[in-house]
Each structure stands twice: as C-alpha cells, then as structure tokens.
Amino acid sequence: MVSIRIFRMGRLRRRMIRSDATSDELWAALPALSGGDLGLLLDHPHVDEKHVLKLLERQDLPGEFLAGVTKTRWIRSPRVQFYLVNNPRTPLPQAMNFVKFLFWRDLNFVTMNFRLATEVRHMAESVLFQRLPALAVGEKVLLARIAGGQILKALRLEKEARVTAALLENPRLVEEDALFIINQSRTPGPVLEVIARDPKWSTRKEVRVALLRNGSTPISAVIPFITQLNAQDLKSLLHDPKVPAAVRRMIQARLGGER
C-alpha cells in the first residue's frame, strides 16, 4: 500500500510543475510536459524565453496549445513568433497571421521549410518579395547566398555587382539562372564582369558564349575565352550579329592565326 502511494506521488511530481521549480528543473521537464502542464509553464515565475523556444521546437504539441501561445505575453517576442510559424502543428490561421511580422532572414527560412503548409511558405515568399526593394545592399548580399525559389529568381535582376557575386555562391543557382542574368539587355557591365571572372561559372562553355555575345561585357574580361573555345564555336560567333565588332575582330585574328 505504501509503495503504491509513493509511486503515484512520484508520478504526480513528474507530471506537475511545482511553483518553486528552478529554471534548470523547468528545462529538464520540457521534453515530457503535456496537458495542463504546458499552460502552467508559460505562467511560471522562473520561466524565460529560452524555455518557451525550446518547448516550441517539439513536433508533438497540440494545436490548441500552440494557438493559445499567441494570446500570451510571449507572443510579443519575434523569436517566439518565428518558432510558432515554423511549427507544422501551429493552426494555419495563427501561422499565417504572424508570417508578416518575421524578419527577412526568418521569412527566407520559412519559404524553404517544407514541413510547413504550402500556404504558409507561399505567404512568406510573398512578404519577402514585397520587402526586397527596401532591403539594404548588405542584406541583399546575405540573402543572395541563401535564397531559393522565386526570391532567387527576383535577385537575378539586381544591378549591384556585389549581390550577383553572392548569388553565384548560392548552391541553388543553376546555369539557366546565370544565362538569364547575362542575356538581359539591361544587365550592367560590372555584373557581367563578375560572372566572367567567377572561377566556377566562367568555365562553362554556354556562359562564355553568352558573355561574348553581350555588348556590355567588358572586353578585358572575355579575351581569355577566345583562346579557350574551339574553332567551331569561334566560327559560329564570328557570324553572329549580336557579337560586338571588337570581339569578332579578335575571333577573326585568332582563327587566322590558327590557319
């Protein structure tokens, strides 16, 4: 009888949060909290933001509890908003509501969090797209290195060479994207030069050909390509009306020298 009573009391202590529990005790209890204890944690005198964030990482939290978090003092924290939006069990109305408050870096993370509902990811992408013009160049540089989807495509139109240089480092960028940048009539010379001197993209034949065909590409950046392309490619460029006259003369000299 005594042993059963001890077991029940022990189980009760494991489930309930004591009002005098320390911060470390609360932290240790986070993985097993359930039911009413979840709500008690949010009002506990020794709880702080790190406890709430750690709790919100759990993928087994009830949607009702997650919706309830939005009505507490914790929702004023940008990090709590971020964690709520990124929990796939947060009810859709609450997740959608707080997407618009996220920072640009957090929005980008949401766009590529494929555990989330499509509606949440698309809304994050839309909000970030609308904010792009207002971002500082330094922020665009950081974003260009990690962006994906429609945000990456939007960044291809940037006229700042530093943004393009960062975009070329993005592992999600493909040759089609590089060619899109090169083939735009309004792409400025400094952007084209960044691509021409990039150690990865400048080795690709299609990229070299596109750069040679663009009259805005600085001649000094593409001279090496003329010696690296084969005779057949050079002959095609020689008769291409889009190739600048100065480049055609160098190609002609190259082909004449080979003969």
Side-chain angles (χ1 to χ4, degrees), residues 110-171:
V110 172
T111 66
M112 292 182 285
N113 184 352
F114 293 98
R115 297 179 303 132
L116 302 179
T118 302
E119 297 93 329
V120 175
R121 291 188 287 106
H122 285 178
M123 183 172 183
E125 189 171 70
S126 175
V127 173
L128 182 52
F129 183 84
Q130 292 171 19
R131 290 190 196 170
L132 272 180
L135 293 182
V137 172
E139 291 174 319
K140 289 180 181 179
V141 167
L142 294 173
L143 179 58
R145 292 194 179 104
I146 59 176
Q150 295 304 310
I151 302 303
L152 184 152
K153 292 184 182 302
L155 289 168
R156 298 181 307 181
L157 297 171
E158 286 292 324
K159 308 304 182 188
E160 171 59 55
R162 286 179 292 167
V163 177
T164 303
L167 197 59
L168 296 177
E169 299 174 11
N170 190 318

Side-chain angles (χ1 to χ4, degrees), residues 40-216:
L40 290 175
L41 176 77
L42 299 179
D43 294 324
H44 197 280
H46 295 147
V47 73
D48 58 29
E49 188 178 277
K50 71 177 182 181
H51 295 97
V52 178
L53 297 181
K54 185 66 177 177
L55 180 64
L56 293 177
E57 288 181 351
R58 283 176 45 180
Q59 303 297 298
D60 61 342
L61 295 174
E64 184 179 1
F65 166 74
L66 292 166
V69 174
T70 66
K71 300 175 182 178
T72 69
R73 62 188 174 95
W74 298 107
I75 197 58
R76 293 194 295 268
S77 163
R79 301 315 299 158
V80 170
Q81 294 171 8
F82 171 71
Y83 274 66
L84 269 175
V85 170
N86 276 282
N87 192 312
R89 301 198 66 172
T90 298
L92 189 59
Q94 282 77 21
M96 296 283 281
N97 184 50
F98 286 98
V99 164
K100 60 181 176 288
F101 298 118
L102 300 182
F103 295 119
W104 67 262
R105 189 188 294 270
D106 294 337
L107 286 168
N108 185 68
F109 184 91
V110 172
T111 66
M112 292 182 285
N113 184 352
F114 293 98
R115 297 179 303 132
L116 302 179
T118 302
E119 297 93 329
V120 175
R121 291 188 287 106
H122 285 178
M123 183 172 183
E125 189 171 70
S126 175
V127 173
L128 182 52
F129 183 84
Q130 292 171 19
R131 290 190 196 170
L132 272 180
L135 293 182
V137 172
E139 291 174 319
K140 289 180 181 179
V141 167
L142 294 173
L143 179 58
R145 292 194 179 104
I146 59 176
Q150 295 304 310
I151 302 303
L152 184 152
K153 292 184 182 302
L155 289 168
R156 298 181 307 181
L157 297 171
E158 286 292 324
K159 308 304 182 188
E160 171 59 55
R162 286 179 292 167
V163 177
T164 303
L167 197 59
L168 296 177
E169 299 174 11
N170 190 318
R172 298 178 182 86
L173 190 84
V174 296
E175 185 174 289
E176 179 186 349
D177 297 313
L179 292 175
F180 176 89
I181 298 171
I182 297 168
N183 291 328
Q184 296 306 299
S185 59
R186 295 186 179 181
T187 300
V191 168
L192 296 168
E193 184 170 6
V194 161
I195 301 174
R197 299 191 186 282
D198 185 85
K200 173 184 175 181
W201 295 104
S202 65
T203 61
R204 305 199 176 201
K205 187 182 82 168
E206 294 302 322
V207 170
R208 289 175 173 177
V209 169
L211 286 166
L212 285 166
R213 295 178 75 242
N214 192 316
S216 297

